[in-house]
Amino acid sequence: MRKTGLILMAVVVGLAAAAPLLSPHDPAMRFDNHLHAPPTRLHVRDADGRWDRPFFHPLRLADRLESRYEEDISRKVHLTWFSRGVLVAEEDERAGLWLPLGADSFGRDLLARILYGARVSLGVALLAVLGSLLIGAAAGGAAGYFGGTLDEVLMRLAEFVVVLPTVYLVLALRAVLPLVLAPAQIFGLMVGIFVLVGWPYVARGVRGIVAVERHREYAEAARAAGAGHARILFRHLLPATLGHLGIQATLLLPSFILAEATLSFVGVGFSDPTPTWGTMLHDAANVSTLAQFPWMLAPAVGIFAVVLAVNLVVQGSGRVPVSTAAR
């Protein structure tokens, strides 16, 4: 299962990294005649049953009120490879649009927005995980090594953050800050908030490991050899916490992705037109009948894939994951 999880995670990250190459259209480009357009169906055989290179029939708006589309089978639009700087696209955009996953309520390419949205959502989560690990390891290591008042202050602070409901804490921290910010500011703000609520989970475990390891023979030998506190802590003790840091990273990553989606969904995170999985789900929630436009929930598949991949990695490592938000 661990190998499967790693492969799935690598696929998601690879798709996000290759977004400019894989997206047939700009994620912010609107096509007014394709609001809620369904995914484009590809064909390799024409109406006469003859084989042909991949093509599609352009969509024609049959009912604007119901956003109902029909294929214009009288026309064919072929796909081309490595055209206009992307892997695959339609031969002539004016003849018909290729929308592999359909379009959203503004007529924007869902595939492009999912791929570019993965960059933002994964970027926020990965940076927040890195920040949580660094601060948590430093705080937990110092508390476990020096003990005394420093230990009491850091652990009481960590416990104060841990006992608070994580979701409500994140929402409260974001709500007290300005709602209208530039996308780059929101990105940094979210990373900071997630680090603030994530480091205590790392610090508590690191503190326990370091408090035990500092009395081991190798630590005593390093101390007797004249090694300073910083060398003992960073060279000898913190490496013993790498297993704990790895498991915490796998637990925090999906939690932060879900947190970003939640904040954007309720309107206090990224806002349109910035593509993230959260803003796209917010757009899907405004659709009157999801049964009529099921492709609008495609971002949820990306979130599910990441959470599934992380859980497979953790279970394959012999550990049972516990949701960070539930602790």
Side-chain angles (χ1 to χ4, degrees), residues 1-3 309-321:
M1 287 191 295
R2 184 171 182 272
K3 185 177 180 180
V310 170
N311 277 271
L312 289 175
V313 171
V314 175
Q315 290 180 2
S317 300
R319 294 185 172 97
V320 179

Side-chain angles (χ1 to χ4, degrees), residues 13 31 50 93 201 206 302:
V13 174
F31 302 102
R50 292 174 300 197
E93 193 175 275
Y201 298 102
V206 170

Side-chain angles (χ1 to χ4, degrees), residues 78-142:
H78 289 92
L79 297 180
T80 59
W81 294 86
F82 299 103
S83 173
R84 302 199 303 270
V86 298
L87 180 63
V88 59
E90 59 277 294
E91 267 187 337
D92 185 358
E93 193 175 275
R94 293 169 298 180
L97 293 174
W98 182 51
L99 301 169
L101 295 181
D104 64 8
S105 58
F106 294 98
R108 298 173 299 200
D109 187 350
L110 271 180
L111 175 62
R113 293 186 65 78
I114 287 176
L115 294 177
Y116 278 92
R119 288 182 150 197
V120 179
S121 298
L122 290 176
V124 168
L126 289 173
L127 286 179
V129 167
L130 179 60
S132 299
L133 293 181
L134 291 176
I135 295 177

Side-chain angles (χ1 to χ4, degrees), residues 293-305:
F293 313 115
W295 51 90
M296 293 288 289
L297 289 177
V301 178
I303 297 176
F304 174 78

Side-chain angles (χ1 to χ4, degrees), residues 137-154:
Y145 182 77
F146 294 105
T149 303
L150 181 62
D151 182 19
E152 288 293 324
V153 172
L154 290 175

